[in-house]
Each structure stands twice: as structure tokens, then as C-alpha cells.
Amino acid sequence: MQIGQYIRERRPARTIRKKAGTPTMGGVLIVLSTVVPTLLWPILTNGFVLLTLFALLAFAAIGFVDDYAKVSKQRNLGLTSKSKFLLQIFVSSIVGIGLARSCHAQRLFHELMIPS
């Protein structure tokens, strides 16, 4: 869709020339190309697959909201760095708790798993 990133007006002219038109929302293609095969082939009853999908989609949602705010306002003012960081900590905490519970339930804390 040729959506380019908007540059802050306070930046030096050489930075504006270099960054003007940088594509934004490119992660949508990457996320789709990861999610679709993941939903098609693995066993979706595996908690680790679901937790990984949750993490991918949650971080993608944070990036999408940030980029969408930039495009809709037509300025380089998406989410603040503090709000992005807090959202990332929140998602990471959920994933960490999920991993701890899954590993504890399956008694994987002290085992080394080598794929065969």
C-alpha cells in the first residue's frame, strides 16, 4: 500500500531525507507468514505452541497499534516509549508465567530434551 513512515519535523534535513518514506507495517507480512503455517501443521493442543503464538501475536499487536497511530495521525507520534515498554513487560510476564506453569506441570525443569 506504499505507506511510508512520517519523520519528526525537528530532525536534521539529512535524517529527514534518509528516513522519509521508510515502509511501515512490514511486520504484518512476517507475522502472517509465521502464523498461517503454525496453525496448519503443528498439534495445537501443545501448550508451548499456543504460548508461542500468543507471544508473537501480542508483540505484533503492540507494533501494529504503534504503526497505525503513526499512519493515522500522519506524524511520527505512535505509542510512547514508556507505554510500549510497559506493554512488552506485561506480555513477557504472561509468557513467563505460562512457561513456568507448563514446565512445572510437565516436570521439565530439570530435564534436557534433545529432539530425535
Side-chain angles (χ1 to χ4, degrees):
M1 292 184 351
Q2 300 298 322
I3 300 173
Q5 185 168 338
Y6 293 92
I7 311 302
R8 280 190 228 147
E9 294 80 17
R10 298 182 306 203
R11 293 206 177 227
R14 64 186 162 97
T15 304
I16 291 174
R17 281 194 308 265
K18 187 165 56 170
K19 288 195 70 160
T22 301
T24 187
M25 293 201 189
V28 172
L29 181 63
I30 294 169
V31 170
L32 282 177
S33 64
T34 304
V35 169
V36 170
T38 302
L39 291 176
L40 290 177
W41 287 294
I43 300 170
L44 292 178
T45 57
N46 186 337
F48 294 116
V49 172
L50 295 176
L51 196 59
T52 303
L53 271 177
F54 168 75
L56 175 69
L57 293 174
F59 282 114
I62 294 170
F64 179 81
V65 169
D66 183 43
D67 285 348
Y68 184 76
K70 290 176 186 177
V71 170
S72 66
K73 294 176 186 176
Q74 294 187 351
R75 294 184 342 198
N76 194 17
L77 298 174
L79 295 174
T80 63
S81 58
K82 183 177 180 180
S83 62
K84 275 192 278 193
F85 188 62
L86 289 175
L87 286 170
Q88 290 171 351
I89 288 174
F90 178 71
V91 171
S92 300
S93 299
I94 292 173
V95 170
I97 291 168
L99 278 174
R101 287 188 177 194
S102 294
C103 290
H104 183 68
Q106 296 180 14
R107 296 188 174 109
L108 298 175
F109 275 132
H110 304 290
E111 297 179 11
L112 176 62
M113 297 189 315
I114 300 174
S116 56

